[in-house]
Amino acid sequence: MKYGLVLEGGAMRGLFTAGVLDILMENDIKFDGIAGVSAGAAFGCNYKSNQRGRAIRYNLRFCRDKRYCSFESLVKTGDMFGAEFCYHKIPDELDIFDGEAFKNNPVDFYAVCTDIETGRPLYHKFNSINYTELEWLRASASMPLASRIVNINGRKLLDGGISDSIPLEFMEKNGYEKNIVVLTQPKGYFKKKSGSSAMLKAVYRKYPKFVRACEKRHIMYNNQLEYIRNSERNGNAFVIAPPEKLPVGHIEHNYEVLIEVYRIGRKTALSMLDKINKFMINGL
């Protein structure tokens, strides 16, 4: 039986996921495959490289650095989260990503991106980490209107959450029969339609299929939540979600808030650890 780990995005809500993942790593819980979206991919890659604590460490270190995340960066570069600084200078120089450990770990790792020409998801499987692979992580986390389009091998890519926010169905179809799903919204959350349709149409007028995907995202997302509930009822999924709405937005420069979101993730995972172990051992 193959076990998977599914990681929703959510920008800085992803530090809840980082807290959950550190508890799982500390307790030596292993998976056969991981699929991450946006922040779920950017932080989740540390699971494959076995770098416990790295996500919260560099977020605290650079959260007030304008090169990391700022409106100034958005105006100057077209990316609110600085592309070169976040996805290359940090992992290559400032908080080094262990590419060798990542490569040697046999767990499959996928990042979800959205092809803006088709409006469909792309699932990129990583075998190693280099400049281009880091660009796939950037693409997965590149939020519309706050990021430039990422061009990789002729593909034009943005945030994977637009087309597949919680890729449990993808994992099940690829043979991962039992999956732990880490959400960044509490159970019972219902996504409403975005109010930015007019701006999306103006900015991405050349990509009508992407605009339609954005407009229908709330439908896709709520359908996925129902799919997850059914899989959970059938004993095929185990869901870890915040106990209530996380006290953080997409952007956050306050150390205390970031630490609190991370601690909520740790506390939530710790409270469920016996059930997680039972699910991983027995699939129940």
Side-chain angles (χ1 to χ4, degrees):
M1 184 175 294
K2 292 173 69 176
Y3 287 83
L5 177 63
V6 179
L7 307 174
E8 182 184 7
M12 300 317 292
R13 294 199 314 271
L15 287 178
F16 170 85
T17 302
V20 171
L21 296 183
D22 282 354
I23 290 297
L24 298 182
M25 280 191 274
E26 288 167 16
N27 287 274
D28 200 33
I29 294 175
K30 306 292 188 183
F31 297 92
D32 300 293
I34 302 170
V37 182
S38 192
F43 298 164
C45 62
N46 295 295
Y47 207 95
K48 182 170 166 64
S49 65
N50 196 32
Q51 288 179 278
R52 175 166 50 92
R54 181 174 178 270
I56 185 61
R57 183 175 65 237
Y58 73 73
N59 273 281
L60 291 178
R61 181 180 174 186
F62 298 114
C63 67
R64 294 179 180 173
D65 191 315
K66 291 182 179 179
R67 297 171 297 173
Y68 184 67
C69 176
S70 66
F71 285 103
E72 183 177 317
S73 175
L74 178 61
V75 171
K76 286 184 175 180
T77 71
D79 292 295
M80 184 167 288
F81 287 86
E84 191 64 27
F85 185 77
C86 293
Y87 292 96
H88 299 290
K89 191 170 183 65
I90 289 177
D92 290 343
E93 301 176 27
L94 302 177
D95 196 319
I96 295 174
F97 185 78
D98 192 341
E100 194 65 23
F102 182 93
K103 182 179 179 180
N104 292 333
N105 188 334
V107 61
D108 294 330
F109 183 82
Y110 303 88
V112 185
C113 303
T114 299
D115 184 322
I116 67 169
E117 294 183 311
T118 66
R120 301 287 299 165
L122 281 177
Y123 305 92
H124 180 70
K125 183 178 180 181
F126 291 70
N127 295 311
S128 61
I129 287 291
N130 54 36
Y131 189 94
T132 300
E133 300 295 81
L134 289 169
E135 286 291 279
W136 279 100
L137 285 179
R138 179 166 78 92
S140 181
S142 290
M143 297 179 290
L145 305 178
S147 310
R148 291 171 294 164
I149 296 167
V150 182
N151 291 275
I152 304 177
N153 300 328
R155 301 273 196 172
K156 297 178 180 180
L157 308 171
L158 281 174
D159 186 356
I162 298 300
S163 54
D164 191 351
S165 296
I166 315 167
L168 174 60
E169 186 173 4
F170 164 79
M171 291 293 278
E172 290 183 345
K173 286 181 176 178
N174 281 274
Y176 301 95
E177 301 154 274
K178 303 289 182 179
N179 292 274
I180 288 182
V181 180
V182 183
L183 303 178
T184 58
Q185 296 284 11
K187 285 191 174 183
Y189 174 78
F190 183 83
K191 192 172 189 64
K192 298 178 181 179
K193 186 174 183 178
S194 170
S196 57
S197 181
M199 188 175 293
L200 286 164
K201 286 180 179 178
V203 174
Y204 301 108
R205 59 189 179 276
K206 294 181 181 179
Y207 309 104
K209 293 180 180 178
F210 178 71
V211 172
R212 284 197 293 273
C214 291
E215 290 176 334
K216 295 181 178 179
R217 185 186 181 187
H218 64 296
I219 299 172
M220 175 272 296
Y221 185 91
N222 293 327
N223 286 340
Q224 288 191 325
L225 291 179
E226 182 59 30
Y227 184 93
I228 291 166
R229 284 191 288 268
N230 287 333
S231 189
E232 189 177 25
R233 281 192 291 266
N234 293 333
N236 297 321
F238 185 94
V239 177
I240 303 174
E244 56 188 17
K245 183 176 175 61
L246 293 169
V248 67
H250 281 82
I251 302 168
E252 183 58 65
H253 302 295
N254 187 310
Y255 297 96
E256 287 73 24
V257 170
L258 297 177
I259 292 171
E260 178 61 17
V261 173
Y262 172 77
R263 286 175 175 166
I264 292 170
R266 288 184 61 90
K267 183 177 179 181
T268 301
L270 272 172
S271 71
M272 306 174 82
L273 194 55
D274 287 345
K275 292 180 179 179
I276 292 169
N277 280 315
K278 182 179 179 182
F279 178 81
M280 295 298 295
I281 294 170
N282 302 316
L284 298 173

